[in-house]
Amino acid sequence: MTSEKSNRVWRLAARPTGNEFDTALRLEEEATPVPQVGELLVKNRILSMDSGTRMYMTDRKDSYQPGTPLGAPILGTVIGEVAQSRHPAYAEGDLVRCYGNWADWSIATPETLYTAKLDGKEPNLAEYVGILGANGWTAYLGVVEYGAARAGETFLVSAAAGCTGSMAGQIAKIAGCRAVGLAGTDDKCTFLKNDLDFDDAINYRKGALVDSIAASCPDGINLYFDNVGGDVLDAALSNMADFGRVAVCGLLANYSAEGPVPGPYKFDLVLMKRLTVQGFFSPDFYHREPEINPVLRQWRDDGRLKLPIEETVGLENTIAAYTKLFIGANIGKVVVRV
Amino acid sequence: MTSEKSNRVWRLAARPTGNEFDTALRLEEEATPVPQVGELLVKNRILSMDSGTRMYMTDRKDSYQPGTPLGAPILGTVIGEVAQSRHPAYAEGDLVRCYGNWADWSIATPETLYTAKLDGKEPNLAEYVGILGANGWTAYLGVVEYGAARAGETFLVSAAAGCTGSMAGQIAKIAGCRAVGLAGTDDKCTFLKNDLDFDDAINYRKGALVDSIAASCPDGINLYFDNVGGDVLDAALSNMADFGRVAVCGLLANYSAEGPVPGPYKFDLVLMKRLTVQGFFSPDFYHREPEINPVLRQWRDDGRLKLPIEETVGLENTIAAYTKLFIGANIGKVVVRV
């Protein structure tokens, strides 16, 4: 079934500077991997493009897992079919979501948190890394549980046209909040307001953001869902209402940083406004998929939760797809169809 | 009862640089104030020295109340006797804690949060701004409610020899935590371990603090009670356990700052370690005094909660007393006896 040099694999050739993934990543041809006892060989169909992967390209000591060693394959969430099973609970042909490689093939270990058998009901497999995947759970729990959104509150989300951000805003609306999104182009803002029913959207590249937020959120922000950190977080902190909450989902602005990055200059406001700032991320709640996905699926089927999916075809085009996340070129979820 | 020029009042002559209170504050003699309808004239007996007052000497826009105008009297918590009452619920001779002036006399308004009639059971009036005052409530709620300390956890507190910090550590011990304190001299560390039963104490001026904390807290910090911010906060963040909590009670390191102050350089760890950082302060829970003080008083009477009180005699010596807070010269509570 497998042959020599039948697996193309993106490997980390050098630690990237900024968004220069062209020189940092290298596509190599090699032998298809062989699953050991307890493992699966997975034929990759969809690669999920996630900004967090950027952190592991830099070897940050602060990160929650070690940096990717130079020369190692890039790891990420993939969807594929089991081509060979050496685990009793899986059979050839099973559809799985797992932590695999940016490659034609992955080896998956079902004994880890990350491998899940999929129900196969979705015509578009990318849904399993979209509304029904980690971004969906992150948006859901970040708004509903960590953020404890309540009806009547003002909700702000950064990277609002991105996968997690766009869902977070819609879920905040479902929770009864007034939802405001930050995005980097007027087109994205129009999309958020017209297509996703956000109450307002602000182009953070135009004018003084702290003033734009103040104008849009005159009573202050009760819940800020942050995907980016940096200056945008400072502008949000300046506009928090007393006793507001900041759900820290991502710090995109810092992922490329090499040296020490100062925290928000408005950190004092955590005390002055008695804020709660909480970090959270999806590996902590992967096990809650069976509970969360029926809710998300229902909202989607009711037309209350939408997620555009931008699909790039061809493993060889992965860098172009991945770069989109960092230059603000995408709306919704970015995937590569292998 | 009152006469001209019978009231000495500390007024803000200039915004201080660093700890140069000598040039910033001026003691003036003036007429004793006259209470209006609904107000009390209070003969000050004890002035509570609180580091937070420093913020209002600088006119910080970020602060939770406006800066003290130049020329205005310094405001702070005082204990005194009602000399003249124009409020039906108070009589001459009543003992009160109120928000008054660093002066011989204060005008108090019972309709505000800050004015409370005291039971008079304490031979040392300073107890009402110590264990039985805002510092006590802050230590109690910061550990028990905001911080949600649980038995078996590792607890770290900065400014541990200070009023709030020393009580926070003892309350964490009562809650079953392993309590570690940060202080600025070996003598303070010895005091914390020998007199207050802290499990460990670290002189933050010696060696690399991040390493000292790591050595003392090998399993990480579950709850960090922060009074100072700045570099010490960074060193603590580097040593937090996953899902740890940071109760932000004070940011002493920033109170003298004039320009923008960077937040903690280790802010990313809020995400990486899924931390919760929560700011809180006492005006939010002044109304809970009747519920909290019986608990604190019992612990004190049982010998489980101790607080040294450093008393400076004479209103004219207020600056010397206040400066102690900023040069690390005190242990426990600092008060001025007028």
Side-chain angles (χ1 to χ4, degrees):
Chain A
M1 185 194 73
T2 66
S3 66
E4 299 245 332
K5 301 281 182 187
S6 57
N7 188 27
R8 295 171 300 160
V9 181
W10 282 104
R11 288 182 178 269
L12 186 65
R15 306 232 171 259
T17 304
N19 304 328
E20 291 171 15
F21 302 115
D22 273 334
T23 48
L25 305 185
R26 190 171 55 214
L27 190 61
E28 300 197 341
E29 290 216 36
E30 46 200 72
T32 302
V34 177
Q36 305 302 305
V37 173
E39 293 181 341
L40 314 172
L41 175 66
V42 175
K43 179 71 190 76
N44 295 341
R45 296 298 181 198
I46 294 286
L47 310 183
S48 174
M49 299 287 103
D50 297 295
S51 60
T53 309
R54 175 67 182 81
M55 268 187 290
Y56 310 117
M57 297 183 187
T58 306
D59 189 15
R60 295 193 53 159
K61 287 187 181 58
D62 288 353
S63 184
Y64 43 84
Q65 63 180 44
T68 303
L70 284 178
I74 303 295
L75 292 165
T77 300
V78 309
I79 293 168
E81 288 142 19
V82 175
Q84 189 182 346
S85 173
R86 299 196 63 188
H87 188 286
Y90 290 78
E92 280 184 30
D94 279 352
L95 195 64
V96 293
R97 186 201 305 109
C98 63
Y99 208 50
N101 293 332
W102 290 6
D104 288 306
W105 302 87
S106 292
I107 295 290
T109 310
E111 304 306 328
T112 70
L113 182 67
Y114 297 96
T115 305
K117 210 182 287 193
L118 301 173
D119 61 19
K121 292 178 185 168
E122 298 297 326
N124 184 355
L125 292 181
E127 290 284 314
Y128 293 110
V129 289
I131 290 178
L132 304 178
N135 298 117
W137 315 330
T138 299
Y140 177 82
L141 292 179
V143 172
V144 172
E145 283 197 2
Y146 295 101
R150 292 185 288 267
E153 290 192 324
T154 295
F155 173 90
L156 181 74
V157 58
S158 57
C163 180
T164 302
S166 65
M167 289 192 279
Q170 294 172 82
I171 293 169
K173 287 289 294 181
I174 292 170
C177 295
R178 180 170 176 275
V180 179
L182 304 177
T185 69
D186 288 347
D187 282 351
K188 287 181 180 176
C189 289
T190 301
F191 169 79
L192 293 173
K193 288 188 283 188
N194 291 358
D195 293 61
L196 300 189
D197 203 27
F198 276 55
D199 295 286
D200 199 4
I202 296 168
N203 183 339
Y204 68 84
R205 297 178 198 266
K206 280 190 174 174
L209 181 56
V210 67
D211 298 332
S212 315
I213 297 175
S216 179
C217 306
D219 298 326
I221 304 156
N222 303 108
L223 172 55
Y224 173 50
F225 189 116
D226 192 18
N227 291 299
V228 302
D231 295 344
V232 177
L233 173 54
D234 267 318
L237 286 173
S238 292
N239 282 290
M240 295 300 293
D242 283 352
F243 308 106
R245 291 95 63 202
V246 179
V248 179
C249 173
L251 295 167
L252 188 77
N254 301 352
Y255 292 166
S256 306
E258 299 288 336
V261 180
Y265 282 81
K266 297 295 181 183
F267 183 79
D268 283 16
L269 294 176
V270 171
L271 176 59
M272 304 305 168
K273 297 181 171 182
R274 293 87 90 199
L275 307 177
T276 300
V277 180
Q278 185 169 18
F280 66 103
F281 63 55
S282 58
D284 292 332
F285 40 78
Y286 268 53
H287 64 282
R288 295 182 61 184
E289 173 172 6
E291 158 203 354
I292 300 170
N293 268 359
V295 178
L296 296 174
R297 196 172 232 152
Q298 187 64 53
W299 284 342
R300 182 197 62 182
D301 294 345
D302 292 345
R304 307 174 80 185
L305 183 58
K306 301 171 192 168
L307 179 70
I309 293 174
E310 296 191 6
E311 183 178 300
T312 294
V313 177
L315 180 66
E316 65 278 11
N317 298 317
T318 300
I319 287 178
Y322 195 62
T323 304
K324 281 184 178 187
L325 300 177
F326 296 91
I327 60 173
N330 66 299
I331 288 184
K333 183 69 189 178
V334 179
V335 301
V336 172
R337 186 168 293 271
V338 179
Chain B
M1 187 193 70
T2 65
S3 66
E4 300 243 331
K5 302 281 184 187
S6 57
N7 188 27
R8 295 171 300 160
V9 181
W10 282 103
R11 288 183 178 269
L12 186 65
R15 306 232 171 259
T17 304
N19 304 328
E20 291 171 15
F21 302 115
D22 272 333
T23 48
L25 305 185
R26 190 171 55 214
L27 189 62
E28 301 198 341
E29 290 216 35
E30 46 199 72
T32 303
V34 177
Q36 305 301 305
V37 173
E39 293 181 342
L40 314 172
L41 175 66
V42 175
K43 180 71 191 76
N44 295 340
R45 295 300 181 196
I46 294 286
L47 310 183
S48 173
M49 298 287 102
D50 297 296
S51 59
T53 309
R54 176 65 182 83
M55 269 187 289
Y56 311 117
M57 297 184 188
T58 307
D59 189 15
R60 295 192 53 157
K61 288 189 181 57
D62 288 354
S63 184
Y64 45 84
Q65 64 181 41
T68 302
L70 283 178
I74 303 296
L75 293 166
T77 300
V78 309
I79 293 168
E81 288 141 20
V82 175
Q84 188 182 347
S85 173
R86 300 196 62 188
H87 189 286
Y90 289 77
E92 279 185 33
D94 280 352
L95 195 64
V96 293
R97 186 201 303 111
C98 62
Y99 208 51
N101 294 332
W102 290 5
D104 288 305
W105 301 87
S106 292
I107 295 290
T109 309
E111 304 305 327
T112 69
L113 182 65
Y114 298 95
T115 304
K117 210 181 287 194
L118 302 173
D119 60 20
K121 292 179 186 167
E122 298 297 327
N124 184 354
L125 291 181
E127 290 285 313
Y128 293 111
V129 289
I131 290 178
L132 304 178
N135 297 118
W137 315 330
T138 299
Y140 177 82
L141 292 178
V143 171
V144 172
E145 283 197 4
Y146 295 102
R150 291 185 288 267
E153 290 191 324
T154 295
F155 173 90
L156 181 74
V157 58
S158 57
C163 181
T164 302
S166 64
M167 288 192 278
Q170 294 172 82
I171 293 170
K173 287 289 294 180
I174 292 170
C177 295
R178 181 171 175 275
V180 179
L182 304 177
T185 68
D186 288 347
D187 282 350
K188 288 182 180 176
C189 290
T190 301
F191 170 79
L192 292 173
K193 288 188 282 188
N194 291 359
D195 292 62
L196 300 189
D197 203 27
F198 276 54
D199 294 287
D200 199 4
I202 297 168
N203 183 339
Y204 69 83
R205 297 178 198 267
K206 279 191 174 172
L209 182 56
V210 67
D211 297 332
S212 314
I213 297 175
S216 179
C217 307
D219 299 326
I221 304 156
N222 303 108
L223 172 55
Y224 174 50
F225 190 114
D226 191 19
N227 292 299
V228 302
D231 295 345
V232 177
L233 173 55
D234 268 318
L237 286 172
S238 292
N239 282 290
M240 295 300 293
D242 284 351
F243 308 106
R245 292 95 63 204
V246 179
V248 179
C249 172
L251 296 167
L252 188 76
N254 302 351
Y255 292 165
S256 306
E258 299 288 335
V261 180
Y265 283 82
K266 297 295 181 183
F267 184 79
D268 283 16
L269 294 176
V270 171
L271 176 59
M272 304 305 167
K273 297 182 172 182
R274 294 87 91 201
L275 307 178
T276 300
V277 180
Q278 184 168 20
F280 65 103
F281 63 57
S282 58
D284 292 332
F285 40 79
Y286 268 52
H287 64 283
R288 295 181 62 184
E289 172 171 5
E291 158 204 353
I292 299 170
N293 268 1
V295 178
L296 296 174
R297 196 172 233 153
Q298 187 64 53
W299 285 342
R300 183 198 61 181
D301 294 346
D302 292 345
R304 307 174 80 185
L305 182 58
K306 301 171 192 168
L307 179 70
I309 293 175
E310 296 191 6
E311 182 178 300
T312 294
V313 176
L315 180 66
E316 64 279 12
N317 299 317
T318 300
I319 288 178
Y322 195 62
T323 304
K324 281 184 178 185
L325 300 177
F326 297 90
I327 60 173
N330 67 299
I331 288 184
K333 182 68 188 177
V334 178
V335 301
V336 172
R337 186 169 293 270
V338 179

